[in-house]
Amino acid sequence: MQFVPEVGDFAGAGRERCFNLPQTRSFMQALLENSSDKLLSAMPDVKTFERQLASLNDWWGKIALIGKINSHNVAATILDDMNQIQGKFGELQKKLTYNLLLENVQKLVLDNASKAQVAIDLLVRNLFERTADVGFLATDDDIRAFLSLAAPTAEQTAFIEDRLREYVKKYSVYDEILVLDTQGRVKAHLDKHNPVTVSSDPLISETLTGGAAYVETFRYSDLQPDRRHSLIYSCQITETNQRDSKLLGVLCLCFKFDDEMRGIFADLLGAGDDGILGVLGDDGRVIASSDELLLPVNTWSSVERSVRIARYHGAEYIINTRASNGYQGFRGLGWCGQMMTALNQAFSRDPMAAANQPDIMEQASSFPPELRDIRKASAAINDDLGLLVLNGQIASARKNAAEFMPVLEAIKQIGTDIASIFTASVNSLQQATVMSSHLNNAGFLASLAVDIMDRNLYERANDCRWWALTSAFRRHLAAGSPDAGQRREIADILQYINALYTVYTNLYVYDANGDIVAVSDPNQQALVGGRVGDDSGAVTALKCPDSQSYRVSPFARSALYAQRPTYIYNAAITDLADTTRVVGGIGIVFDSEPQFAAMLSDVLPRDEQGSPVAGCFALFADRQKRVIATAGDSDLGASELLDLDGACFRLPAGQRESRVVQYRERNYLLGSAVSKGYREYKVADGYVNDVIAFIFIPF
């Protein structure tokens, strides 16, 4: 089924940008010109104001007519002047209705575009990690040795499948890994419910002959014949790392696409959100949907317009479509995020109104000046009407036209009522729409920041545990004190890994005594032979023979990170022959300063030029108020204390909130969110480390 665009094709709107959304008010105006009646019918609050004003205008006309018929003694100019004032109210009413429509639509477009943007960007960030995984795992010595065998035994196949199983225990985003020879024959794989033995999928020949570092494929594949679609990352397996090395086969990592999308949709759509969130392929085909009953997979949509109103299944929807911003140059397969909201549900009142902050809201630079002007103009017109009524009362008294007095009083009251409706409507929009939009946005940004952090550090926990299973590390450490050649081999492997995974400043291997055997960074060679620090996480890691266990240092200054604060992830290295015997460990030093700053910078609200909004800043902190990292206009540094009310640090894990605060004598919208983990990380692996993200937006 295909969406049929009806009206209002446009490309973005809003006073500021969020997640690099192009927003201009002119484009919203184009929508209103084409669709104002349709949008007005979907906004009950605006319709109520319209009806109230129409009723008062009708009553004004009737009273004026009565006055004209029964008050011949009063100058006609008074009634004419009153008609002019009524006309001014009428013109102002049109401006009010237009701006109420504009602000309500603008809020919806911004909120929905943010969800569509985040959905696709979170997915692309995740898939970027997969491109490194497949390239690294394809160079695994055990897999290479296995494929070099002419006729592997059942025992040898079981060994390699156990190794793949260990990999998926760490990198739980995969549901199948396949090792194939150059003829497409499956030599080993994980999913025993998968009946595949040989594949004719073109991705195999493309991977073997295409020359790319990896191949990314999303569609039906006979590699997973029981699945409606598969997202597969494939890479050549070669005999060595040399450019012209002999081809041995193909490695395929099958990503849990549907599972991942369910998690993203659940995070972005609240319990009361009636919208539908989806992901579109580059051809406009729906490949994931938060509600497959209403928006089935393989439905077709348009990817040519960012926002539009369209009819679908007999109802009209506002549809926001966002292309990915990419991550470190990676954009995947050109997919888009899409958010759909039915017009008849789109403009229900948001419960998060800021009724307790009228003074702050009145001063807010983000409050539309047009609405401020309307409120002031209605008060000024009503003042003019009051003077005119007073003149009419004087004139009536002079001419003994007592019958005109009730007419004047009635019109004066109508003017007061009209001005009150103008004020009430503007205040309502100010509190329930504009303010709640900013508050929701601040909380959403904070939640996004800490989610990005959890997802990133999930990969770090995976990396240290997988690299600890490197056979060369296990052999050399199990044999006793490694000799110079063995240390060099360990160092070479660490350097190769570190070149692929640049989020680390150093990787190091230590023996069972905690003495460093080798490092990845030649500039830190002086560390070799020294003892790992007690606060590095190594001491407890050496007590954990379980291959699923890992340990993380406190976020503290470390000599391993040039006396700057960071996290160090550790895992035990065990004997190949006796996996209960710990022979050493691996430590990986996360490059926290630039990595955390980049995560926070990515979620700062942006102006129309793409720069962070002046005065905004974001930070990560722990429950003891210690700052972990900052970005934007903040003068705080890592390990300093954040001077906020203690309640901000007692928010439960996985929760977020927004409020208006005064910080250092300036008003801010403050969004905060506490980490909840990702998959098993911080959820079911025993690691507890609550981090709170804060977003400060000057207000």
Side-chain angles (χ1 to χ4, degrees), residues 185-507:
R185 293 176 294 225
V186 178
K187 308 301 289 184
H189 73 116
L190 283 183
D191 183 3
K192 294 310 173 186
H193 298 291
N194 184 0
V196 63
T197 57
V198 63
S199 173
S200 59
D201 194 307
L203 74 84
I204 296 171
S205 61
E206 182 183 354
T207 304
L208 289 170
T209 62
Y214 63 89
V215 174
E216 185 179 20
T217 305
F218 181 81
R219 51 172 168 73
Y220 173 80
S221 171
D222 64 5
L223 288 165
Q224 290 186 295
D226 296 334
R227 303 291 177 90
R228 62 181 178 178
H229 50 222
S230 297
L231 177 55
I232 301 173
Y233 290 83
S234 55
C235 183
Q236 296 177 357
I237 302 173
T238 56
E239 198 168 52
T240 69
N241 289 339
Q242 299 303 313
R243 178 182 295 273
D244 297 323
S245 179
K246 177 184 176 182
L247 288 172
L248 299 176
V250 173
L251 175 73
C252 295
L253 302 184
C254 301
F255 182 72
K256 292 180 179 178
F257 177 75
D258 290 341
D259 179 69
E260 176 68 10
M261 293 316 307
R262 279 192 293 271
I264 290 176
F265 293 151
D267 286 343
L268 294 180
L269 297 177
D273 198 326
D274 296 320
I276 307 170
L277 193 52
V279 173
L280 308 180
D282 61 348
D283 58 357
R285 182 171 55 90
V286 176
I287 61 176
S289 170
S290 65
D291 189 337
E292 291 199 24
L293 290 177
L294 288 176
L295 182 66
V297 168
N298 293 324
T299 298
W300 293 86
S301 183
S302 169
V303 296
E304 296 179 357
R305 301 176 181 90
S306 294
V307 189
R308 67 191 188 282
I309 293 178
R311 180 170 291 278
Y312 177 67
H313 278 194
E316 288 175 317
Y317 287 81
I318 289 185
I319 302 172
N320 293 69
T321 306
R322 304 299 310 171
S324 172
N325 288 317
Y327 183 64
Q328 296 191 17
F330 173 76
R331 293 183 178 275
L333 295 171
W335 297 343
C336 297
Q338 179 176 271
M339 183 71 187
M340 298 174 56
T341 303
L343 271 182
N344 61 2
Q345 300 170 337
F347 301 103
S348 57
R349 179 177 291 277
D350 194 317
M352 187 186 288
N356 296 326
Q357 305 287 348
D359 295 336
I360 292 176
M361 288 188 295
E362 179 61 29
Q363 299 165 15
S365 59
S366 58
F367 187 70
E370 295 88 350
L371 287 168
R372 276 204 196 92
D373 294 343
I374 288 171
R375 185 164 52 190
K376 291 176 181 176
S378 70
I381 293 171
N382 196 46
D383 288 343
D384 291 343
L385 179 61
L387 290 174
L388 186 61
V389 167
L390 180 59
N391 288 335
Q393 288 171 337
I394 294 171
S396 298
R398 286 176 177 171
K399 297 189 176 184
N400 296 317
E403 71 280 1
F404 196 55
M405 290 294 193
V407 172
L408 293 170
E409 287 297 328
I411 290 179
K412 180 181 180 181
Q413 184 59 50
I414 291 172
T416 300
D417 291 343
I418 289 175
S420 296
I421 290 173
F422 274 91
T423 299
S425 62
V426 172
N427 288 346
S428 175
L429 181 82
Q430 184 181 33
Q431 296 175 14
T433 301
V434 176
M435 190 64 175
S436 71
S437 178
H438 286 293
L439 286 168
N440 278 328
N441 187 44
F444 185 73
L445 291 170
S447 179
L448 175 62
V450 81
D451 189 27
I452 291 172
M453 181 192 215
D454 280 342
R455 286 166 171 268
N456 188 295
L457 297 184
Y458 158 84
E459 305 288 347
R460 313 305 51 104
N462 298 342
D463 290 347
C464 71
R465 291 179 293 169
W466 176 247
W467 297 335
L469 295 177
T470 302
S471 295
F473 297 168
R474 302 172 77 179
R475 283 195 306 270
H476 295 331
L477 290 175
S481 180
D483 60 29
Q486 292 170 332
R487 288 172 183 258
R488 187 161 49 251
E489 182 181 354
I490 294 174
D492 287 345
I493 295 172
L494 292 175
Q495 286 182 32
Y496 173 73
I497 296 172
N498 207 167
L500 290 174
Y501 294 82
T502 56
V503 296
Y504 305 109
T505 58
N506 198 13
L507 316 178

